[in-house]
Amino acid sequence: MPRQVHLATALRSAPRAAEVATALTRFGFGTLLREIGLDRFVDKSEEEKAHIGQRPIELRVRLLLEELGSTFIKLGQIASTRADLLPASWIWELKKLQGKVPPSPWEGEDGIGAFLESEYGERLATNFHNIEHEALAGASIAQTHRATLSTGEKVVLKILRPGIRERLTADIELMRLLSYLVQSYLETMGFDPEAVIDEFSRQLLRETDFRIEARSMARMGDDFRDVDGVAFPHVYKDLSTESVLVMEEITGTLLSDLDVSLLDDQTREAIVRNGADAVFRQCLQIGFFHADPHPGNIFVLEEGSLCFVDCGMTGLIEPRTLDQFAQITHGAITGDLDRVVRSAIQLADADPALVDNRALRAAVWRFIDEFRQGTLESLDMGRLLNEFFTVLREYHLHCPPDVVYLIKALTTIESVASSIAPDFDVVSHVHPYVERLVRDRHGVHAIKERSEKALLRYIDLVEDLPDEISRVLRSLGRNRLSLQLNHKGLDTFTEEVERASMNISWSLGIAAVIVGSSVLVLADSVDQDVSILTAVAVFGFVSAVAVGLFRLVRLWLGRRD
């Protein structure tokens, strides 16, 4: 089983396991370690140093992740984007995690210089005229360096930290082990730790392959090639590898480092307008978007133009999902409860029977009631989707990660806009994107197009029907037609029948012993002295009573469980 494999891998990494266990103890999780049997890895004196046990668990987990280093920090950062998997209190705390860490040194066998030589070989001297040894910045899994190509172009290298993949693999296996061991401990906290780890490992795999980020950045650059005010760095695909991303150097100021109070109103509005246009166009029109447009990933250029960097976290929304968004938006405004509930269930890939769940329908109706008096012009799309999926999360309906990233992107850029230009009406500005989303689903042209597609499907069905009937008849004639039934709840029914049969068998056995003992007493009643038959009868009565009481106690305890 996979869990056994993960356990074996984790035990092979015993030193790291001991380090993690020690950190858990230091941050007040000593009781948990004892319950799951990992206290053997910890020096008992560490428990005496723990003075944080009474503080909120969300805070302790955040400090623990910072203590354990890059992999665990990245886990927390990715988990903070998954409002469908974690409660709001956890999201709020994990967003405080800082990914900036001291960069790896250039010199040494394990340094950046030696890593680049092993990555490029002779191509390093051929393609690069100069690479600055001092890093521009260091993050949890990568760091950046300025460089000059042999052609004279200024570029920036995003370099994966040497040895980080091996560390990530070992840490993820430890995370899987811990998530399995603490599954029951965290069930009452509102999320599934194994689901968080699974999503984290998938996302981390994408973020540590810079060839994926190179393709994403190039694609976004093509999408906005003819759009003024929005840009993405040019990527040198022929020089980029799985561990090194080569892109043009952007000469601007990070929005996170910019003192917006020094900017005039026109520039601030230009920043907000360009940012909102970029994100809403990507999310609601193109369907491929930058999933983390926070100020640290946006450069401000001249006259409020923007350049988005760090495209490792992206989202891809297929047309059907956008169609479901349109259904939810239109249903919320028109008060169509059935439409919104059906779209939600389809989006979450949940049991269709939930459409009749009274509690879910009531919760969705409360959500609709907040928006149904409004219009498209006044609709806050980010708030609508965020509140809608908060409702779904309460009923354990988990949406695809890309859907969650879309909501995060929309709400992030709206938050950025409100902090830079509070008086700018973002809702009105992005109204054309929302209107187009709904119009593409409910306009005359859209209805005509869907009708044509439905008609073609019916025509295909009629054309295929004779062949399908012939196939069924041939199978029937050859006695090859089989019918497979899936009985929901049959296992529970079988268990109840087996339990009832067992109780009946015991009852019959006890009754037989009582009857047999009574016969022995009657047979021996003619003799005034106590004989062996009476002794056997008394033993039978006592045994029957004892067994009967024992079975009754077992039955009562079973009912309680």
Side-chain angles (χ1 to χ4, degrees):
M1 294 176 63
R3 286 174 177 169
Q4 294 173 335
V5 174
H6 297 150
L7 178 60
T9 304
L11 291 177
R12 286 197 298 268
S13 306
R16 181 60 169 162
E19 183 181 339
V20 172
T22 299
L24 282 166
T25 301
R26 190 177 304 128
F27 288 97
F29 295 100
T31 301
L32 169 63
L33 287 176
R34 285 191 292 274
E35 289 179 359
I36 63 179
L38 291 183
D39 55 317
R40 68 177 69 92
F41 289 104
V42 183
D43 185 348
K44 299 303 179 183
S45 63
E46 290 293 336
E47 290 200 57
E48 301 175 1
K49 303 177 184 178
H51 303 290
I52 196 174
Q54 301 303 317
R55 303 177 75 176
I57 187 172
E58 297 91 343
L59 171 63
R60 288 187 283 138
V61 168
R62 194 253 298 173
L63 295 175
L64 172 67
L65 296 178
E66 291 176 345
E67 171 84 7
L68 292 175
S70 56
T71 310
F72 290 83
I73 290 174
K74 196 66 180 177
L75 165 66
Q77 290 174 331
I78 292 177
S80 70
T81 69
R82 298 306 308 275
D84 62 323
L85 296 178
L86 294 176
S89 59
W90 287 77
I91 297 293
W92 185 82
E93 188 65 46
L94 292 177
K95 282 184 176 180
K96 299 177 184 178
L97 284 167
Q98 298 295 318
K100 293 183 178 180
V101 296
S104 298
W106 180 272
E107 297 80 8
E109 294 182 1
D110 297 327
I112 295 295
F115 179 76
L116 289 176
E117 289 180 2
S118 64
E119 190 74 12
Y120 285 101
E122 296 180 355
R123 295 174 59 211
L124 184 64
T126 304
N127 293 298
F128 296 95
H129 174 69
N130 176 60
I131 301 176
E132 292 187 6
H133 292 191
E134 184 177 352
L136 276 173
S140 55
I141 63 173
Q143 60 191 64
T144 54
H145 290 256
R146 284 194 180 96
T148 304
L149 299 181
S150 55
T151 56
E153 296 163 280
K154 302 291 185 181
V155 297
V156 170
L157 307 185
K158 183 177 179 180
I159 306 168
L160 199 69
R161 289 177 178 270
I164 191 66
R165 280 202 181 91
E166 293 75 13
R167 183 64 174 264
L168 291 175
T169 301
D171 283 349
I172 288 174
E173 293 301 332
L174 277 173
M175 288 177 188
R176 290 191 187 280
L177 168 65
L178 290 173
S179 70
Y180 168 57
L181 293 175
V182 304
Q183 182 84 23
S184 59
Y185 182 82
L186 295 179
E187 278 179 352
T188 58
M189 297 182 187
F191 70 96
D192 181 354
E194 287 192 286
V196 174
I197 299 301
D198 288 340
E199 175 57 31
F200 166 66
S201 61
R202 285 191 293 268
Q203 179 61 36
L204 195 60
L205 179 64
R206 291 181 57 84
E207 290 199 37
T208 54
D209 187 346
F210 290 158
R211 294 171 300 185
I212 297 176
E213 183 173 353
R215 291 194 295 268
S216 299
M217 193 175 290
R219 177 176 176 178
M220 292 180 184
D222 291 339
D223 290 337
F224 286 86
R225 188 175 304 281
D226 299 323
V227 177
D228 295 331
V230 179
F232 291 82
H234 172 70
V235 178
Y236 295 83
K237 289 185 179 180
D238 55 330
L239 297 178
S240 298
T241 69
E242 185 179 8
S243 303
V244 182
L245 175 64
V246 184
M247 54 188 163
E248 70 168 306
E249 181 180 359
I250 303 300
T251 55
T253 305
L254 275 175
L255 185 55
S256 58
D257 297 334
L258 191 64
D259 187 352
V260 295
S261 64
L262 301 177
L263 302 177
D264 57 66
D265 291 344
Q266 185 177 0
T267 303
R268 281 189 286 175
E269 287 189 4
I271 292 173
V272 172
R273 184 172 57 252
N274 291 328
D277 282 338
V279 174
F280 274 80
R281 183 169 184 260
Q282 283 185 324
C283 291
L284 304 184
Q285 202 169 312
I286 299 173
F288 181 69
F289 58 92
H290 193 304
D292 197 19
H294 65 77
N297 287 337
I298 303 175
F299 276 93
V300 179
L301 310 180
E302 295 180 355
E303 299 180 353
S305 295
L306 304 179
C307 182
F308 291 77
V309 298
D310 196 357
C311 300
M313 184 180 290
T314 59
L316 180 64
I317 298 295
E318 46 134 353
R320 184 180 179 187
T321 302
L322 284 176
D323 178 73
Q324 289 163 344
F325 281 157
Q327 297 272 30
I328 293 169
T329 304
H330 188 266
I333 293 176
T334 60
D336 191 337
L337 175 62
D338 289 330
R339 183 193 299 271
V340 176
V341 172
R342 282 198 305 269
S343 299
I345 290 173
Q346 291 172 1
L347 199 60
D349 195 23
D351 185 355
L354 282 173
V355 74
D356 296 320
N357 184 291
R358 288 182 179 272
L360 175 61
R361 291 175 67 87
V364 173
W365 180 248
R366 286 192 295 271
F367 154 78
I368 290 176
D369 194 52
E370 294 187 33
F371 295 93
R372 66 192 178 105
Q373 302 300 329
T375 63
L376 281 179
E377 289 78 5
S378 62
L379 180 66
D380 186 341
M381 187 68 170
R383 175 171 166 263
L384 178 142
L385 293 176
N386 195 38
E387 292 191 10
F388 178 70
F389 288 108
T390 298
V391 172
L392 295 190
R393 184 181 167 276
E394 291 176 1
Y395 289 87
H396 306 289
L397 298 178
H398 298 305
C399 295
D402 286 334
V403 173
V404 181
Y405 292 152
L406 181 142
I407 299 171
K408 175 181 180 292
L410 295 180
T411 53
T412 298
I413 202 64
E414 288 179 353
S415 175
V416 171
S418 64
S419 65
I420 296 175
D423 297 331
F424 186 80
D425 191 353
V426 177
V427 173
S428 297
H429 181 73
V430 301
H431 160 249
Y433 299 103
V434 180
E435 183 181 41
R436 178 173 178 176
L437 176 68
V438 176
R439 187 179 65 244
D440 287 347
R441 179 64 179 79
H442 297 280
V444 175
H445 177 73
I447 294 175
K448 178 176 176 292
E449 185 176 334
R450 288 201 309 276
S451 300
E452 291 175 350
K453 289 181 179 179
L455 180 60
L456 289 175
R457 287 198 296 269
Y458 278 118
I459 291 174
D460 290 339
L461 178 62
V462 171
E463 289 180 348
D464 295 339
L465 192 58
D467 292 336
E468 295 296 332
I469 293 175
S470 298
R471 187 177 298 111
V472 171
L473 292 176
R474 285 196 299 270
S475 299
L476 187 61
R478 298 172 183 174
N479 293 324
R480 293 181 180 176
L481 187 65
S482 60
L483 182 63
Q484 183 176 355
L485 298 177
N486 183 20
H487 296 275
K488 291 187 177 180
L490 188 60
D491 291 341
T492 304
F493 175 73
T494 303
E495 290 175 1
E496 290 294 334
V497 171
E498 290 178 351
R499 187 180 296 111
S501 301
M502 183 65 69
N503 290 334
I504 292 172
S505 298
W506 277 101
S507 300
L508 291 174
I510 292 171
V513 171
I514 293 174
V515 171
S517 299
S518 301
V519 170
L520 290 177
V521 171
L522 290 173
D524 199 38
S525 61
V526 295
D527 192 353
Q528 297 298 321
D529 298 327
V530 178
S531 69
I532 189 65
L533 293 179
T534 300
V536 172
V538 170
F539 177 78
F541 281 127
V542 173
S543 299
V545 171
V547 173
L549 290 174
F550 174 74
R551 292 302 302 173
L552 285 173
V553 171
R554 285 285 303 272
L555 181 62
W556 181 70
L557 291 175
R559 293 297 184 188
R560 289 187 62 186
D561 294 338

